[in-house]
């Protein structure tokens, strides 16, 4: 099956500063990729390059030219703008704009689709509430609903469980796994929460020391690999059938 996105000897950075170099990998339909690494290692830069926001300093990023690669992006909640008095539904409707075409207004179908997405995230009752009045976890669910409203083939998540309690984090990640398992949605996720990565993703991309290395999660998330990546003692174990990282 043809990859959705291919990196060919790509270097990423800002101006003359190279953050990641010699990146070679592909994102295929049905992948569930977790990106981990220390602060400043280039994880978000890598996500933005997949989206086409960050252009490579060298090399080439190829996106499927048959229109099959459509991105739904969930940024870190802290980067969203709370100034404008938009309702939750209005925020989620933003996800439909790319499907509407120029100068077209959302239809009843678009509104129904957005309400369905809010329902999937368990926040239908918040549709008319101002986005800026929500809790951190509610805002994060709203941003995920907005991404799903775009009907993506690739869901890009940057720290999707920020500001959520244990129950909320579990509910969101179980839903994301459902999207992957039942709807074959391709998912790429950055997370500092290593126990989330180890228990949900299929493959892991390590970003560190200017490189990106990818391996199946069982091979990648080991005490030795994580201790080397974070330059600190890290232990990987299992408690009650759930993998944990300490």
């Amino acid at each position: 099956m043809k990859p959705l996105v291919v990196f060919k000897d790509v270097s990423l950075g800002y101006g003359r500063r190279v953050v990641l170099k010699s990146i070679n990998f592909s994102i295929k339909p049905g992948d569930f990729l977790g990106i981990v690494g220390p602060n400043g290692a280039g994880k978000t830069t890598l996500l933005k390059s997949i989206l086409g926001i960050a252009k490579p300093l060298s090399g080439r990023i190829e996106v499927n030219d048959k229109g099959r690669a459509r991105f739904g992006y969930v940024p870190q909640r802290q980067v969203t703008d709370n100034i404008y008095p938009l309702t939750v539904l209005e925020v989620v409707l933003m996800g439909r704009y790319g499907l509407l075409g120029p100068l077209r207004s959302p239809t009843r179908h678009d509104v129904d689709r957005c309400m369905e997405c809010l329902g999937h995230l368990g926040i239908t009752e918040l549709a008319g509430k101002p986005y800026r009045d929500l809790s951190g976890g509610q805002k994060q669910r709203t941003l995920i609903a907005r991404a799903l409203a775009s009907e993506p083939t690739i869901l890009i998540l940057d720290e999707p469980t920020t500001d959520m309690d244990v129950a909320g984090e579990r509910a969101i990640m179980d839903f994301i796994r459902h999207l992957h398992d039942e709807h074959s949605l391709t998912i790429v996720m950055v997370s500092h929460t290593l126990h989330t990565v180890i228990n949900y993703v299929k493959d892991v991309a390590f970003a560190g020391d200017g490189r990106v290395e990818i391996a199946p999660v069982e091979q990648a998330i080991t005490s030795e690999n994580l201790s080397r990546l974070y330059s600190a003692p890290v232990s990987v174990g299992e408690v009650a059938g759930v993998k944990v990282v300490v």
Side-chain angles (χ1 to χ4, degrees):
M1 190 174 294
K2 186 176 181 179
L4 298 172
V5 181
V6 179
F7 281 67
K8 294 187 176 181
D9 202 25
V10 171
S11 292
L12 300 171
Y14 304 93
R16 296 183 178 180
R17 184 170 70 91
V18 177
V19 177
L20 296 168
K21 58 186 177 183
S22 302
I23 306 171
N24 289 280
F25 76 96
S26 62
I27 300 171
K28 300 179 292 297
D31 279 355
F32 195 159
L33 177 67
I35 302 174
V36 302
N39 289 331
K43 301 183 299 297
T44 296
T45 301
L46 183 59
L47 282 193
K48 289 182 177 179
S49 71
I50 295 171
L51 292 164
I53 299 172
K55 301 299 182 182
L57 299 178
S58 63
R60 190 164 74 252
I61 301 173
E62 298 178 354
V63 178
N64 188 297
D65 59 1
K66 300 298 183 183
R68 294 180 56 228
R70 186 167 60 246
F71 299 104
Y73 178 42
V74 182
Q76 294 185 28
R77 183 185 57 79
Q78 293 87 342
V79 306
T80 57
D81 196 337
N82 292 330
I83 296 176
Y84 300 103
L86 299 175
T87 66
V88 168
L89 178 58
E90 288 169 334
V91 170
V92 178
L93 275 167
M94 291 178 181
R96 301 294 296 175
Y97 292 167
L99 302 174
L100 294 178
L103 304 179
R104 287 187 57 195
S105 299
T107 65
R108 183 73 245 175
H109 170 74
D110 296 307
V111 172
D112 290 344
R113 175 62 177 155
C114 290
M115 291 300 295
E116 181 182 343
C117 292
L118 287 172
H120 287 319
L121 276 301
I123 54 171
T124 306
E125 73 283 359
L126 300 179
K129 190 169 183 178
Y131 173 79
R132 63 187 178 188
D133 291 345
L134 303 183
S135 68
Q138 290 170 335
K139 287 179 178 178
Q140 198 70 4
R141 289 171 184 263
T142 300
L143 295 178
I144 294 173
R146 180 180 68 176
L148 293 179
S150 69
E151 301 181 13
T153 54
I154 305 177
L155 183 62
I156 306 287
L157 303 151
D158 195 352
E159 302 289 354
T161 57
T162 299
D163 293 330
M164 290 187 178
D165 58 22
V166 173
E169 178 182 293
R170 175 70 179 270
I172 286 296
M173 289 310 305
D174 283 349
F175 175 63
I176 290 171
R177 181 160 58 188
H178 168 78
L179 292 173
H180 174 266
D181 293 347
E182 301 300 324
H183 299 278
S184 301
L185 184 60
T186 304
I187 297 171
V188 180
M189 176 180 74
V190 161
S191 180
H192 279 103
T193 312
L194 292 175
H195 69 263
T196 296
V197 173
I198 194 173
N199 283 291
Y200 287 91
V201 307
K202 286 184 175 180
D203 298 291
V204 173
F206 283 136
D209 296 325
R211 302 188 306 274
V212 175
E213 299 177 358
I214 299 180
V217 65
E218 295 83 4
Q219 300 175 20
I221 303 295
T222 66
S223 301
E224 180 182 0
N225 286 344
L226 293 177
S227 297
R228 183 176 65 252
L229 181 67
Y230 290 97
S231 300
V234 179
S235 179
V236 178
E238 189 170 309
V239 176
V242 177
K243 296 176 184 177
V244 295
V245 180
V246 181

